[in-house]
């Protein structure tokens, strides 16, 4: 066996005693808690109810065809922008006139100038027009009854109301009444869309609307208005 020289022996001993490098410490990663789930957003508050206008001071009696009536002080009057009340309601003074035919002329009359209005309902068939509107989907069906509406003004003038506006009276006790005079209408949207190849008009819905007219002519339709 070969003997190591002293120098090699010392190198060998030094190599054996050489220490391993100390392990590099791994930094601890801080544990971050997951953020709490966001609270559900609060729903927006409902819009405030529309404020009834204060543009009138009239003592009014509205009578229906079944003899029931509403009497009291009217403090607000509105007219629908369209014929059905689907759009805005107008309360400006310039929009609140009745169109009255006196002989061969027409005049605009304020409600404060009206003494009495009398409504004689038209006849089913003869005075009813039924149609539909394809602007809606499904279509909207409508039957309109033309009435004979007589008016007496406080100055004694007599005439006929020929405007088909939809009116809204606000009473002092909070009750409100919507009504038409010259043209009374009922509407209903079809419950199905028209399929290709089908008869486009729903004749059964016309029949249903005319039945509603027949009922309203004896109950809720306006018979008269008296203004003091």
């Amino acid at each position: 066996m070969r003997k190591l020289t002293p120098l090699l022996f010392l190198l060998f001993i030094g190599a054996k005693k050489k220490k391993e490098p100390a392990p590099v410490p791994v930094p601890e990663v801080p544990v971050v808690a997951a953020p709490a789930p966001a609270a559900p957003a609060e729903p927006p508050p409902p819009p405030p109810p529309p404020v009834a206008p204060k543009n009138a001071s009239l003592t009014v009696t509205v009578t229906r065809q079944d003899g029931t009536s509403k009497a009291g002080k009217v403090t607000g009057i509105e007219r629908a922008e369209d014929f059905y009340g689907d759009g805005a309601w107008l309360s400006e003074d310039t929009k609140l006139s009745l169109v009255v035919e006196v002989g061969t002329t027409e005049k605009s009359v304020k409600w404060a100038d009206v003494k009495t209005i009398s409504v004689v309902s038209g006849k089913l068939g003869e005075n009813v027009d039924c149609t539909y509107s394809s602007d809606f989907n499904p279509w909207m069906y409508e039957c309109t009854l033309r009435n004979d509406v007589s008016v007496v003004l406080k100055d004694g003038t007599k005439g006929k109301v020929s405007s088909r506006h939809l009116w809204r009276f606000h009473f002092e006790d909070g009750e409100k009444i919507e009504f038409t005079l010259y043209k009374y209408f009922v509407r209903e949207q079809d419950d199905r869309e028209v399929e290709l190849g089908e008869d486009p008009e729903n004749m059964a819905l016309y029949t249903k609307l005319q039945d509603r007219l027949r009922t309203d002519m004896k109950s809720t339709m306006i018979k008269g208005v008296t203004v003091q």
Side-chain angles (χ1 to χ4, degrees):
M1 180 176 179
R2 185 181 176 185
K3 293 183 178 179
L4 296 174
T5 62
L7 178 60
L8 290 174
F9 179 77
L10 291 174
L11 290 174
F12 177 75
I13 295 299
K16 289 181 66 177
K17 291 184 178 180
K18 187 177 180 180
K19 294 182 179 180
E20 294 292 329
V24 178
V26 179
E28 292 186 4
V29 179
V31 178
V32 180
E42 291 290 332
V51 178
K54 301 292 185 182
N55 58 0
S57 181
L58 305 171
T59 301
V60 176
T61 301
V62 179
T63 305
R64 301 192 182 276
Q65 293 289 342
D66 61 3
T68 61
S69 63
K70 168 64 181 178
K73 184 177 181 180
V74 170
T75 56
I77 299 176
E78 294 179 289
R79 176 177 70 78
E81 185 176 37
D82 56 34
F83 295 134
Y84 307 105
D86 292 335
W89 284 85
L90 310 175
S91 58
E92 297 87 352
D93 186 63
T94 55
K95 303 295 184 180
L96 302 180
S97 296
L98 288 163
V99 178
V100 175
E101 296 178 355
V102 181
T104 58
T105 63
E106 287 186 348
K107 60 187 299 185
S108 295
V109 174
K110 302 294 184 184
W111 278 98
D113 297 326
V114 171
K115 182 178 180 182
T116 59
I117 290 177
S118 177
V119 180
V120 177
S121 61
K123 298 178 180 179
L124 284 176
E126 182 179 341
N127 300 114
V128 174
D129 298 311
C130 292
T131 186
Y132 67 87
S133 173
S134 57
D135 293 339
F136 297 82
N137 188 23
W139 291 354
M140 180 71 77
Y141 285 74
E142 169 193 339
C143 285
T144 302
L145 175 68
R146 299 184 304 278
N147 298 315
D148 182 58
V149 186
S150 302
V151 59
V152 178
L153 305 182
K154 289 178 180 175
D155 65 3
T157 302
K158 296 181 180 180
K160 298 287 186 180
V161 175
S162 57
S163 52
R164 61 173 297 182
H165 296 138
L166 177 62
W167 296 95
R168 180 188 283 166
F169 279 5
H170 295 267
F171 286 82
E172 189 176 37
D173 62 5
E175 187 176 348
K176 59 185 178 183
I177 292 178
E178 294 178 11
F179 63 93
T180 59
L181 295 170
Y182 174 54
K183 287 191 175 182
Y184 182 87
F185 67 89
V186 289
R187 290 198 304 170
E188 185 172 329
Q189 192 168 8
D190 204 348
D191 59 1
R192 63 179 181 84
E193 297 182 19
V194 176
E195 300 291 341
L196 186 65
E198 286 186 326
D199 186 346
E201 290 187 81
N202 186 342
M203 305 307 293
L205 195 46
Y206 286 137
T207 300
K208 181 179 179 181
L209 290 174
Q210 291 186 59
D211 288 342
R212 283 177 54 189
L213 274 180
R214 187 176 291 107
T215 298
D216 291 356
M217 289 167 61
K218 300 176 181 179
S219 56
T220 58
M221 201 173 74
I222 296 298
K223 182 178 182 179
V225 181
T226 301
V227 182
Q228 297 177 357

